[in-house]
């Protein structure tokens, strides 16, 4: 028996999954203690239920994920709509530092993946798929490069890459919160006081915007999001005609940056709170849909191999987050939040990074700098760097034979 969940039904299930995650987190104190996002808890539980239905009662559930992809575009649009040029300038130095750290992480991930693959007698191509391709790259990069590897003769490459990306998504949501929380507790860190430049920037910005969300603010935000997605698609089609292909979320975010800064110039700023709430809603629904739709049954065959790779990559990413990201960014509260987000970037995707940071800041306090820098690295730089790093490794001599 097969059941397809589509249209608005998938939103109903996603909301119930989020409610389940929130309930379980409150009942299981260790989940709350280690700052595990609700979407991760509920999504994993739902995917386990789907696995049991298929294994025991032979009921296969399929999810139509078109709305999930739309929520991803909405989420990145809200990042663009919140990116003021004056705040982007503030993140310049930190953005450069963490971009270099991201480059180091990508190289290290591939060294670890390829090394494990070759030591275990597997083709180095599998190691690359279990490196930056699937973990820092996520599902999209894993599917694209997995197909390339499969066409080149690497058996099951696409499926293996997707499996690694899936477990990476889970791992990124599970380790980011505990890492950030541990750093905050160990070093007794607190958010920047109200007198700091960062807090003053946020406070000044808030004064120019409404603190209540009226229907006009909701409609304006919905219009802006729709324009971001539609115009971003037009930009993609235009660039594709010129031979340049960019991910849809990137162009949607770029349109959002233009809209919000033009609106500020015209003294018609968007309501910051409405945009933030739209971003939170889109993020939570996207993560819930992504995790609840995981096909765990198809991952069982290569489970042992994948778990070894995931364990190695978790160790690499956590080490980089704690010993590099946290230290080079100042060993302060913002640094701990960015380290948490970096775990999401290195193992899952930008939405996972944001979910990790949101779980921490909702408990300990805001971090303007982290929410400025981490999304920009995840949306702009890490994918571009990853493409270069992947091609560099493929060009190495030992890849010629597999």
């Amino acid at each position: 028996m097969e059941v397809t969940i589509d249209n608005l039904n998938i939103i109903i299930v996603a909301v119930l999954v989020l409610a389940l995650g929130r309930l379980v987190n409150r009942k299981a104190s260790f989940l709350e203690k280690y700052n595990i996002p609700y979407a991760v808890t509920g999504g994993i539980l739902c995917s386990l239920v789907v696995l049991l239905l298929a294994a025991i009662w032979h009921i296969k559930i399929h999810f139509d994920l078109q709305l999930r992809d739309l929520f991803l575009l909405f989420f990145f649009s809200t990042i663009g709509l919140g990116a003021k040029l004056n705040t982007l300038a503030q993140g310049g130095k930190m953005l450069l530092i963490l971009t270099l750290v991201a480059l180091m992480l990508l190289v290290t991930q591939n060294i670890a993946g390829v090394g494990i693959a070759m030591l275990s007698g597997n083709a180095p191509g599998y190691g690359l798929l279990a490196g930056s391709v699937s973990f820092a790259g996520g599902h999209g990069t894993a599917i694209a490069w997995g197909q390339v590897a499969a066409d080149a003769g690497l058996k099951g490459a696409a499926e293996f890459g997707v499996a690694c990306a899936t477990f990476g998504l889970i791992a990124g949501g599970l380790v980011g919160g505990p890492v950030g929380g541990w750093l905050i507790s160990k070093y007794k860190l607190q958010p920047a006081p109200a007198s700091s430049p960062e807090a003053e920037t946020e406070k000044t910005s808030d004064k120019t915007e409404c603190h209540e969300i009226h229907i006009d603010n909701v409609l304006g935000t919905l219009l802006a999001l729709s324009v971001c997605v539609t115009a971003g698609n037009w930009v993609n089609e235009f660039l594709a005609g010129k031979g340049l292909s960019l991910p849809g979320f990137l162009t949607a975010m770029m349109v959002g940056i233009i809209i919000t800064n033009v609106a500020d110039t015209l003294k018609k700023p968007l309501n910051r709170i409405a945009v933030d709430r739209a971003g939170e809603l889109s993020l939570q629904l996207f993560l819930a849909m992504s995790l609840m739709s995981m096909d765990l049954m198809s991952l069982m065959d290569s489970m042992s191999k994948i778990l070894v790779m995931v364990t190695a990559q978790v160790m690499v990413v956590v080490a980089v987050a704690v010993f590099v990201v946290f230290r080079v960014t100042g060993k302060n509260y913002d640094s701990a939040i960015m380290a948490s987000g970096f775990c999401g970037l290195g193992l899952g995707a930008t939405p996972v990074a944001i979910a990790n940071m949101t779980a921490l800041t909702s408990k300990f306090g805001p971090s303007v700098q982290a929410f400025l820098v981490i999304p920009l690295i995840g949306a702009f730089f890490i994918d571009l760097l990853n493409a270069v790093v992947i091609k560099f490794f493929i060009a190495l001599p030992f890849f010629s034979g597999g």
Side-chain angles (χ1 to χ4, degrees):
M1 178 180 177
E2 295 190 2
V3 178
T4 299
I5 298 178
D6 56 6
N7 300 325
L8 294 179
N9 292 324
I10 197 168
I11 295 183
I12 295 174
V13 176
V15 172
L16 292 176
V17 163
L18 289 172
L20 174 65
R22 185 181 183 88
L23 176 64
V24 173
N25 274 22
R26 287 182 172 180
K27 296 295 183 181
S29 57
F30 71 94
L31 294 174
E32 196 78 24
K33 177 181 178 181
Y34 292 111
N35 312 296
I36 305 302
Y38 300 142
V40 173
T41 303
I44 292 174
L45 290 175
C46 181
S47 65
L48 290 173
V49 171
V50 171
L51 174 63
L52 290 176
L53 289 174
I56 299 176
W57 292 285
H58 305 291
I59 301 174
K60 295 184 179 180
I61 298 180
H62 302 284
F63 295 92
D64 184 343
L65 298 177
Q66 290 187 39
L67 283 177
R68 182 201 67 171
D69 298 337
L70 177 61
F71 284 124
L72 177 64
L73 295 177
F74 277 171
F75 167 68
F76 276 100
S77 296
T78 62
I79 293 178
L81 293 173
K84 313 291 186 180
L85 291 179
N86 58 340
T87 55
L88 288 176
Q90 294 174 13
K93 181 180 178 181
M94 193 65 68
L95 191 61
L96 175 61
I97 292 172
L98 286 184
T99 299
L100 293 175
V101 174
L103 176 60
M104 181 195 75
L105 172 65
L106 297 173
V107 173
T108 306
Q109 281 187 315
N110 287 335
I111 291 174
V114 172
I116 293 173
M118 296 181 72
L119 288 174
S120 59
N122 293 298
Y126 289 113
L128 196 59
L129 286 168
S132 71
V133 171
S134 300
F135 289 96
H139 284 83
T141 306
I143 292 171
W145 283 100
Q147 189 58 54
V148 171
D151 293 341
L154 199 63
K155 184 179 179 181
E159 293 78 7
F160 180 71
V162 170
C164 287
T166 300
F167 277 91
L169 193 70
I170 298 172
L174 291 177
V175 305
V179 166
W182 176 75
L183 289 171
I184 291 171
S185 299
K186 177 178 175 61
Y187 294 97
K188 298 179 173 60
L189 304 174
Q190 294 181 348
S195 59
S196 70
E198 294 86 353
E200 284 298 319
T201 298
E202 186 178 83
K203 184 177 179 182
T204 301
S205 174
D206 286 344
K207 286 182 179 178
T208 64
E209 302 171 8
C210 298
H211 286 267
E212 294 183 26
I213 304 178
H214 300 289
I215 185 63
D216 290 344
N217 303 133
V218 175
L219 291 174
T221 301
L222 181 59
L223 175 62
L225 293 176
S226 300
V227 171
C228 287
V229 173
T230 302
N233 185 54
W234 291 344
V235 172
N236 266 340
E237 290 178 355
F238 173 78
L239 294 177
K242 302 293 183 180
L244 177 61
S245 179
L246 293 176
F249 66 80
L250 184 57
T251 50
M253 187 175 70
M254 291 168 61
V255 172
I257 294 174
I258 295 172
I259 289 176
T260 191
N261 286 282
V262 169
D264 286 350
T265 302
L266 298 175
K267 301 188 184 303
K268 298 289 184 180
L270 299 174
N271 184 276
R272 173 69 177 273
I273 299 176
V275 171
D276 288 345
R277 294 297 174 269
E280 291 172 12
L281 177 63
S282 301
L283 170 63
Q284 294 301 326
L285 288 173
F286 169 79
L287 281 178
M289 291 178 186
S290 296
L291 292 167
M292 74 189 194
S293 61
M294 291 186 300
D295 186 3
L296 297 180
M297 181 70 75
S298 65
L299 305 179
M300 302 302 291
D301 294 338
S302 53
M303 182 70 74
S304 59
K305 185 189 300 184
I306 293 171
L307 288 179
V308 171
M309 294 294 190
V310 171
T311 301
Q313 294 298 345
V314 167
M315 293 172 64
V316 168
V317 172
V318 169
V320 171
V322 172
F323 297 110
V324 182
V325 173
F326 181 66
R327 295 176 184 277
V328 301
T329 56
K331 296 180 68 174
N332 53 31
Y333 177 77
D334 288 329
S335 303
I337 302 299
M338 285 188 277
S340 172
F342 218 82
C343 290
L345 288 183
L347 290 170
T350 305
V352 178
I354 302 298
N356 289 342
M357 296 192 299
T358 300
L360 288 170
T361 54
S362 63
K363 181 177 181 180
F364 296 104
S367 173
V368 177
Q369 190 174 57
F371 278 89
L372 170 66
V373 175
I374 294 297
L376 287 175
I377 292 176
F380 277 108
F381 299 106
I382 201 164
D383 285 332
L384 296 175
L385 291 173
N386 201 14
V388 175
V389 170
I390 291 169
K391 290 181 179 179
F392 169 78
F393 271 82
I394 291 176
L396 295 176
F398 54 77
F399 270 91
S400 60

